[in-house]
Amino acid sequence: MQHQSSHDEPNVDPKLTSRLILLLCTVLIFTVMNGTMFNVAIPDIAEHFNLLPSQVSWVMTGYILVFSIGSLMYGKLADIYPIKNILTFGLIMFASGATLGLVAPNYPTLLAARIIQAMGGATIPALAFIIPARFIPGERGRVFGIISSTVAFASGVGPIAGGVIGGVLSWRFLFIFSMLAVLAIPFLRRWIPDEEKRPGVVDVPGAVFIASTVAGLLVFITTGMWWATILFAVGLVLFIWRTMTAEHPFIKPSLLKNKRYAVTVATSFMGTSVLFGMIFIIPIMLRDLNELNTLAIGLVLFPGAMAAGLIGQAGGRLVDRKGSVPVVKLALILVAAGTLCISTFAGYNPVVIAACLLITYLGFPLIQSSTANLLSTIVSKKETGVGIGLFNLLNFMSAAIGSAVYGRILDMESAAILFNPFARQGENVIYTNLFLSLSIIALLALTLFTRKFKEEPLPRD
C-alpha cells in the first residue's frame, strides 16, 4: 500500500519505512566499504599480478572516476525515470562486476570488473539521498542523518574489514560483500513506491561534456598525466557552451546560478574534503610517528567511526527540530575543533589522537545530513535528482582531490616551520601543519556559509 502526499507524490508506507531505511543503509555499507576495503589490498593485488604502483593504482582511480561521474548521471536520471528501476539496474551491475572480480584471471579483467562495479554501485549513494527527499518528507532530516552516519561508519570500518579479510583469506574475498547486495532487489522493488516516467529528456552531449570535465580533472589530480588537463579544459568549455545554448541542458543554468545552492554545495565540498583528508592522513601519521601496524591503526579509527554511526539518528532529529542551518554550523565547528586538536597533539599517545578523532567524526554525519536536507528545500522538486547528484559528485571529488593533494605534501617528508603555537616541535611538524590547514578550511567554510545564510535566512525546514 502506498500513501499519497498533498502534492500527489507517492510516499513510503509508514509501516515499511524502518525496513526500507535499514535495507538502504545495509546496501550503502556494502557500496562504501567496497571502495575503502580495496585501499589496504592494493599491495597484495600488485604482487599477485606483478604490477607497478602506477599500474595497480587504477584499481582505485578507475573506480573513483566512474563512481563519481555515475553519482551525478543517476541523479539526473532519477528526475525522469522510476527510482526502483534505476536501483535494480545498479545492483545487478554492482553484483555482476563483483562476480567477475572474484574470478578475474588477469589484471585487465580485474580492472573491467571494478569499472562495472562502479557503474552499478554509483546508484546507491546517488539515490539513497533522493529517496528520503521524495518519498519520506515527514522524516527527511532523521533519514538523512541515518544515511550520512552509515557512510561515515562504513568509511572508517572499511579499511579494518579489508585488512582482516585480505590478511586472513585473500583480496578476492573482498568482492563477496558486493555480490550479496543483489539480494536486496526484491525487497527494494516491493517497498519503494511505484512512479510513472516523468516528462524530460537527458541532454546526452551535455552529459558527455561534464563527464569529460570531471574525468580530466580527477585523472590529472590522481595520476598527474598532462593530457588530462587538455581533456578537462576542452570538456569544461564545451559543457559551458552546451549549458548556455541547449533548450534542455543537462544542468539548468538556474540551478548553477542559485547562490544558496552554490554556497551549500561549496560548504559540503570543503567540509567533506577536511573529513576525507583526515581519514587519508591519520593512518600515515600513526605509522610514521607512533609506529602502529594496520590493526592498531584501525582500532584508533574505530571509536570515531562507531560514534559517527550512532549519532546519525539523533543528528537527523536535530535537523528536523532546529532546521538545517544551525546544524551545518555545529558540524563545521566540531570538524574545525577536532582537526585543531589533532594538529596540537600529533605524535602524542594514540589514545589522545583517538579522542580528537572522535570530535571530528561527530561532524561527518551532521554536515552530510544537514546540507543534504537543506538542498532538498532549496532545489525545486523537478531538479531534486540532479541537484543532489551534483552534491554527491562534488563530495566524491573532494575526497579524491584531498587525498592527492595531501599525498603530495606528505611526499616532502618534513617541514621546517611549525605554524601551530600550541604543538611541540619534532617529527610531527608536517602533520601538525597539515591538520592546522584542515581546521582553517573548516573555518573558512563556516564563515562562507554563515555570511550567506545570515544575508538570506531560510524559513525553518
Side-chain angles (χ1 to χ4, degrees):
M1 179 178 177
Q2 293 169 6
H3 293 241
Q4 300 294 116
S5 72
S6 59
H7 300 282
D8 293 326
E9 291 276 352
N11 288 348
V12 175
D13 187 331
K15 297 176 183 177
L16 300 176
T17 299
S18 296
R19 297 181 192 176
L20 177 60
I21 295 169
L22 178 60
L23 186 59
L24 275 176
C25 289
T26 302
V27 176
L28 191 60
I29 286 174
F30 290 156
T31 310
V32 175
M33 287 182 63
N34 181 71
T36 57
M37 284 193 304
F38 276 87
N39 281 337
V40 297
I42 289 295
D44 293 335
I45 294 173
E47 182 179 356
H48 183 88
F49 291 112
N50 194 25
L51 300 171
L52 297 173
S54 59
Q55 294 172 311
V56 76
S57 66
W58 279 98
V59 169
M60 291 305 302
T61 302
Y63 186 88
I64 292 171
L65 181 61
V66 176
F67 197 86
S68 301
I69 295 172
S71 66
L72 173 60
M73 300 303 169
Y74 289 122
K76 176 66 176 180
L77 291 175
D79 284 334
I80 303 173
Y81 299 99
I83 281 181
K84 65 166 60 177
N85 293 345
I86 301 173
L87 267 177
T88 300
F89 168 80
L91 288 173
I92 291 173
M93 291 284 288
F94 189 55
S96 299
T99 305
L100 180 61
L102 182 66
V103 298
N106 50 51
Y107 182 60
T109 305
L110 176 66
L111 196 55
R114 290 287 285 167
I115 298 300
I116 295 170
Q117 269 195 299
M119 289 172 63
T123 59
I124 313 303
L127 301 182
F129 281 97
I130 296 173
I131 287 172
R134 184 173 296 175
F135 301 130
I136 320 175
E139 300 180 80
R140 193 178 56 207
R142 181 179 73 87
V143 179
F144 279 142
I146 295 171
I147 291 172
S148 300
S149 61
T150 299
V151 174
F153 174 75
S155 298
V157 173
I160 304 173
V164 172
I165 295 170
V168 175
L169 300 171
S170 162
W171 59 266
R172 289 188 183 274
F173 284 85
L174 299 179
F175 284 106
I176 291 178
F177 278 91
S178 305
M179 294 167 62
L180 296 174
V182 77
L183 300 176
I185 290 176
F187 300 100
L188 289 171
R189 293 196 64 83
R190 188 182 311 160
W191 296 340
I192 293 176
D194 294 323
E195 302 172 90
E196 297 293 330
K197 180 179 179 295
R198 294 174 174 80
V201 295
V202 177
D203 176 24
V204 176
V208 172
F209 296 151
I210 193 170
S212 300
T213 303
V214 174
L217 180 60
L218 286 178
V219 170
F220 175 72
I221 288 170
T222 54
T223 67
M225 295 181 179
W226 65 269
W227 56 263
T229 59
I230 299 174
L231 179 63
F232 166 74
V234 172
L236 181 60
V237 170
L238 290 175
F239 174 70
I240 294 172
W241 166 78
R242 181 70 184 180
T243 300
M244 301 303 295
T245 58
E247 183 179 358
H248 301 288
F250 189 82
I251 299 177
K252 292 182 180 179
S254 59
L255 179 63
L256 300 175
K257 292 177 182 177
N258 185 328
K259 292 183 179 179
R260 289 190 301 193
Y261 175 82
V263 168
T264 303
V265 170
T267 300
S268 177
F269 178 89
M270 295 169 74
T272 305
S273 70
V274 171
L275 291 160
F276 278 103
M278 175 200 75
I279 292 171
F280 174 79
I281 299 168
I282 280 291
I284 300 172
M285 184 185 82
L286 291 174
R287 179 159 292 184
D288 186 22
L289 300 183
N290 301 96
E291 299 181 349
L292 300 186
N293 58 30
T294 302
L295 179 59
I297 291 170
L299 292 175
V300 173
L301 288 166
F302 187 74
M306 180 62 74
L310 295 174
I311 198 177
Q313 192 163 346
R317 286 179 177 150
L318 185 62
V319 170
D320 285 333
R321 287 202 314 270
K322 301 293 186 181
S324 300
V325 172
V327 179
V328 173
K329 295 177 183 177
L330 173 63
L332 290 170
I333 289 170
L334 286 171
V335 170
T339 47
L340 179 61
C341 180
I342 299 172
S343 170
T344 302
F345 296 108
Y348 280 67
N349 190 290
V351 174
V352 177
I353 301 300
C356 297
L357 282 169
L358 183 63
I359 300 171
T360 313
Y361 257 116
L362 291 178
F364 198 152
L366 292 180
I367 192 169
Q368 290 251 304
S369 60
S370 55
T371 51
N373 189 62
L374 185 55
L375 289 177
S376 68
T377 66
I378 292 172
V379 179
S380 69
K381 289 188 176 182
K382 293 181 179 179
E383 296 180 304
T384 299
V386 71
I388 293 182
L390 185 57
F391 161 79
N392 282 323
L393 167 68
L394 290 172
N395 282 341
F396 291 131
M397 286 183 64
S398 73
I401 292 170
S403 298
V405 171
Y406 297 127
R408 286 174 184 165
I409 292 173
L410 289 173
D411 285 344
M412 296 188 300
E413 296 185 353
S414 63
I417 303 174
L418 180 67
F419 292 105
N420 184 344
F422 304 105
R424 65 186 182 187
Q425 186 81 34
E427 296 180 353
N428 58 290
V429 171
I430 191 168
Y431 299 104
T432 293
N433 291 344
L434 268 178
F435 277 104
L436 180 63
S437 72
L438 293 181
S439 186
I440 291 170
I441 292 171
L443 291 174
L444 288 174
L446 176 63
T447 303
L448 173 68
F449 183 83
T450 301
R451 289 186 62 181
K452 185 60 187 175
F453 283 90
K454 186 177 181 180
E455 295 170 4
E456 301 180 36
L458 281 174
R460 277 274 296 272
D461 313 311

